[in-house]
């Protein structure tokens, strides 16, 4: 009885909160996102170099569920003006896209800058600005030049220099027009996903490779941040950060709190604490846990590689805002006796002995991994402030997959419900400065190929012109942008 009363009270409170929602504050920015390999195609045009995705789709076709490739994808390399049209129709404040490292630097190094690569991004940026849309540019969204991978990729300490050199070239070409930069998209996938054979380069080495990668990805990010800070900021006044995907993790029972905190440190704190905490370095509980675990395993030193004091200082504070990609939530519990948690990142963080599960009420109608829990976003935003203080937060990805239908009511509800939570978080006093819908249009969804649709716009992949058609969610989002309110649903469009 008492429990029912609490549930009813909570439901009423939520309904009341939602009913009182206001509009987004002035200055709050809305955008839509994409990534080079997922949309560009033109994989071998002109002098473009091979990326780790070009390589894996051609050498290990079974890696992709539908045996497809990103060779053509949305063909944005040729059809970028179509992308500009749909962005303009949406009325977004900004477009977040990524630059393909091997398209701009075919050898991976700045000894040769591709004229075609440069022209492509320059035209895109100019086209955006001409339409009043700000470019938000990611330097690395998972498509490393393959020759750098052959040299060890993100586990080779020299990758820090290679990435810094690449970043300097990009800034010198485009920083006069681009004011918001993301160095690296979701290092958890770049390291933990790549070294669990989930994304390219598809290597099984999560005990050593993934953790070496964690260190060098952070150093590479910091090097790119510091170059901008030293050489470009005074001229252009832009901002640079990194973006992390965070799953909201909550304990399955009260007894699972400690494990949940450790799992948060392992999964995301590993990439955020060194940058955003006042102390810098690895999250303390995780550092101690990994040192003890590695010693028990017989390693002479922790598998989580140490930072020098200089490295800690270099990384600490290397951000002008907090980039957050958020899609889903999980509960955390310890494995039952004899249970071996799966290795997949949405099933477990086995390194710290955390099994991840969902709640029945979080069911969604999209991808299996994408359990829908809008409140998770508000919790996540509050947790970020609790850890890192009053940092400005830019939501750089949020969205869900759907069937290949134009009437994507599930996505309309998903975006509306998550946006409502953003408004509530703003009411909580969190400095959320913007929201980016993933994705502008259907694309090559990594190992899912074209089976999974995340687009506000449908793309007809059987059409050589790759026609882009607005879904119901695009109309909904257009209205959000116009009214600056999250309210309403597809029935009112
Ligand atoms: C990635 C995107 C991807 C999206 C949906 C994010 O982790 O940054 O590239 O398409 O998830 O799967």
């Amino acid at each position: 009885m008492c429990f029912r009363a609490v549930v009813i009270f909570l439901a009423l409170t939520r309904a009341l909160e939602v009913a009182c929602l206001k509009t987004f504050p002035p200055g709050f920015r809305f955008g839509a996102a994409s990534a080079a390999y997922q949309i560009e195609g033109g994989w071998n045009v002109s002098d473009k170099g091979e990326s780790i995705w070009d390589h894996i789709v051609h050498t290990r076709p079974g890696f992709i569920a539908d045996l497809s490739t990103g060779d053509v994808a949305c063909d944005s390399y040729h059809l970028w003006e179509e992308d500009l049209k749909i962005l303009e129709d949406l009325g977004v404040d900004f477009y977040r896209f990524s630059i393909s490292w091997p398209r701009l630097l075919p050898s991976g190094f700045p000894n040769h800058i591709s004229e075609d690569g440069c022209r492509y991004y320059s035209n895109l940026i100019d086209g955006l600005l001409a339409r009043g849309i700000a470019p938000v540019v990611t330097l690395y969204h998972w498509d490393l030049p393959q020759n750098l991978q052959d040299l060890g990729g993100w586990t080779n300490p020299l990758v820090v220099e290679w990435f810094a050199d690449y970043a300097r070239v990009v800034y010198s070409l485009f920083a006069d027009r681009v004011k918001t930069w993301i160095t690296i998209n979701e290092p958890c996938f770049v390291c933990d996903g790549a070294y669990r054979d989930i994304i390219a380069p598809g290597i099984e080495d999560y005990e050593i490779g993934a953790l070496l990668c964690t260190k060098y990805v952070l150093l590479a990010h910091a090097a790119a941040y510091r170059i901008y800070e030293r050489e470009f900021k005074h001229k252009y006044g832009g901002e640079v950060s990194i973006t992390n995907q965070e799953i909201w993790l909550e304990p399955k029972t009260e007894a699972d709190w400690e494990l949940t905190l450790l799992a948060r440190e392992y999964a995301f704190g590993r990439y955020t604490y060194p940058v955003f905490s006042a102390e810098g370095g690895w999250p303390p509980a995780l550092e101690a846990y990994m040192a003890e675990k590695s010693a028990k395993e017989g390693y002479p030193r922790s598998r989580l590689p140490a930072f020098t004091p200089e490295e800690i200082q270099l990384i600490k504070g290397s951000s002008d805002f907090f980039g957050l990609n958020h899609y889903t939530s999980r509960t955390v519990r310890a494995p039952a006796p004899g249970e071996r948690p799966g290795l997949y990142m949405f099933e477990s963080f086995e390194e710290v002995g955390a099994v991840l599960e969902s709640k029945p009420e979080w069911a969604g109608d999209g991808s299996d991994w994408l359990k829908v829990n809008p409140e998770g976003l508000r919790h996540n935003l509050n947790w970020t402030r609790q850890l890192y203080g009053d940092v400005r937060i830019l939501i750089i990805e949020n969205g869900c997959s759907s069937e290949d239908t134009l009437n994507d009511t599930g996505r309309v509800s998903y975006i509306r419900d998550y946006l409502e939570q953003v408004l509530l978080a703003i009411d909580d006093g969190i400095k959320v400065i913007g929201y980016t819908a993933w994705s502008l249009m259907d694309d090559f969804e990594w190992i899912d190929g074209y089976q999974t649709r995340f687009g506000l716009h449908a793309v007809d992949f059987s059409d050589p012109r790759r026609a882009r058609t607005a879904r119901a969610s695009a109309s909904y989002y257009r209205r959000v942008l116009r009214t600056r309110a999250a309210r309403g649903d597809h029935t009112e469009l």
Side-chain angles (χ1 to χ4, degrees), residues 353-389:
V355 177
L356 308 185
E357 287 172 331
S358 173
K359 291 184 181 174
E361 63 269 31
W362 293 350
D365 52 8
S367 307
D368 259 7
W369 61 270
L370 214 161
K371 311 294 179 201
V372 180
N373 174 34
E375 283 88 357
L377 176 53
R378 181 183 183 183
H379 294 316
N380 210 137
L381 292 165
N382 273 277
W383 174 246
T384 306
R385 177 174 60 174
Q386 199 175 319
L387 287 182
Y388 305 127

Side-chain angles (χ1 to χ4, degrees), residues 133-286:
I133 301 171
V136 170
V137 175
T138 311
L139 296 177
Y140 185 73
H141 201 124
W142 306 357
D143 46 356
L144 193 72
Q146 177 61 35
N147 59 313
L148 301 187
Q149 182 57 46
D150 294 339
L151 297 170
W154 291 102
T155 62
N156 183 336
L158 291 175
V159 74
V160 178
E161 261 173 41
W162 304 335
F163 185 70
D165 291 344
Y166 160 60
R168 182 179 282 108
V169 171
V170 180
Y171 297 148
S172 33
L173 293 171
F174 308 123
D176 56 339
R177 288 161 284 163
V178 175
K179 302 296 173 202
T180 310
W181 297 93
I182 313 293
T183 54
I184 292 169
N185 181 68
E186 299 184 354
C188 66
F189 270 93
V190 176
C191 298
D192 307 310
Y195 288 89
R196 275 179 180 74
D197 201 15
I198 294 170
I199 64 165
I203 293 172
E204 280 276 3
D205 184 9
Y206 57 90
E207 287 194 358
I208 304 294
L211 295 172
L212 286 176
C213 172
T214 304
K215 173 170 173 173
Y216 299 125
V217 143
L218 284 165
L219 284 168
H221 151 76
Y225 177 88
R226 299 295 172 204
I227 287 176
Y228 189 88
E229 188 182 42
R230 267 195 321 270
E231 302 170 26
F232 298 89
K233 197 168 176 98
H234 64 280
K235 273 192 266 175
Y236 304 120
E239 296 194 305
V240 183
S241 195
I242 185 168
T243 194
N244 284 286
Q245 187 184 142
E246 300 194 352
I247 306 170
W248 173 245
L249 297 176
E250 55 186 53
K252 177 145 190 183
T253 67
E254 280 304 303
D256 298 310
W257 258 114
E258 203 181 321
L259 179 60
T260 303
L261 294 178
L262 185 66
R264 287 183 192 166
E265 281 199 355
Y266 170 76
F268 324 114
R270 199 160 24 114
Y271 300 104
T272 55
Y273 193 90
V275 177
F276 296 97
S277 70
E279 306 74 28
W282 299 122
L286 180 72

